[in-house]
Amino acid sequence: MTGSLAVVMAAMIPLQDMSDIDRTMRVLRHSPFSVSETVQRIGVAAHDQGLGVLAMVAGVQPVLVLASSVGGTLVVMDEADSQPAVPLSLMVRAVRWGGADVWIGSTPATASGNPGVWDDLPTAVAGDLEALPGLVDRALL
């Protein structure tokens, strides 16, 4: 867990290279709203659920880094030399036919569907991770 923006920003660097997006992220949901409205709605839904927005990297494809309900955000690495991932981050990307896609970082738990990967986390943080898809669903209603 970290509240260090330097650590979070280092983990966000691969998002600047679009060729890495398909490898490091997956589409979580499609939003019928614009990119800016989707980001705003997710921020409000996060706040309503007791999460904060630790960082928002603006741009054509903004990235929201959510703070867990206990503070800070999780940064994980599969192996010592692998790229760090921020599981509580979401990228919003415009779609040619309208609306936006909400992308979430691929992590061992999201990639394998194995909830046991988060067993060593505080219960509240594991709950925040598991609740992320529902949070996005509520934001896009």
Side-chain angles (χ1 to χ4, degrees), residues 4-16 57 75 83-86:
S4 169
L5 288 180
V7 172
V8 170
M9 298 315 290
M12 297 289 102
I13 288 172
L15 299 182
Q16 294 177 351
V57 182
V75 177
Q83 181 66 38
V86 182

Side-chain angles (χ1 to χ4, degrees), residues 44-125:
V44 168
H47 182 266
D48 290 348
Q49 192 163 314
L51 307 178
V53 175
L54 182 66
M56 203 286 273
V57 182
V60 176
Q61 300 172 136
V63 176
L64 282 168
V65 179
L66 302 179
S68 75
S69 57
V70 296
T73 195
L74 183 66
V75 177
V76 296
M77 294 175 63
D78 292 337
E79 298 183 23
D81 62 346
S82 66
Q83 181 66 38
V86 182
L88 283 172
S89 65
L90 301 162
M91 182 182 72
V92 181
R93 182 177 180 183
V95 178
R96 188 175 314 159
W97 55 85
D101 282 341
V102 178
W103 293 68
I104 188 170
S106 293
T107 63
T110 59
S112 68
N114 178 6
V117 173
W118 304 125
D119 283 348
D120 58 345
L121 292 178
T123 304
V125 176

Side-chain angles (χ1 to χ4, degrees), residues 26-31 100-104 132-134 136-137 140:
R26 64 181 176 88
V27 174
L28 179 63
R29 300 286 185 270
H30 176 74
S31 169
D101 282 341
V102 178
W103 293 68
I104 188 170
L132 192 55
V136 173
D137 286 344
L140 302 180

